[in-house]
Amino acid sequence: MEVVADDEETASAAAQAVCALWWSSGPSQPWRVPGEPGVRVRAYVDIRRAPDGTPAT
């Protein structure tokens, strides 16, 4: 998933909140795309598994 927010703190916090719900890679370092507004953070999330890797219920 990719989060786009106005600032690094918000983007990182939003990604971390989602990553806490499912098994994930954790949030990436924030980055900006030249010419586009906002800061981006990406994480790979497996919604089939709980944060500890067990199958989600």
Side-chain angles (χ1 to χ4, degrees), residues 31-38 40:
W31 81 93
R32 294 181 184 272
V33 176
E36 293 186 19
R40 298 169 188 272

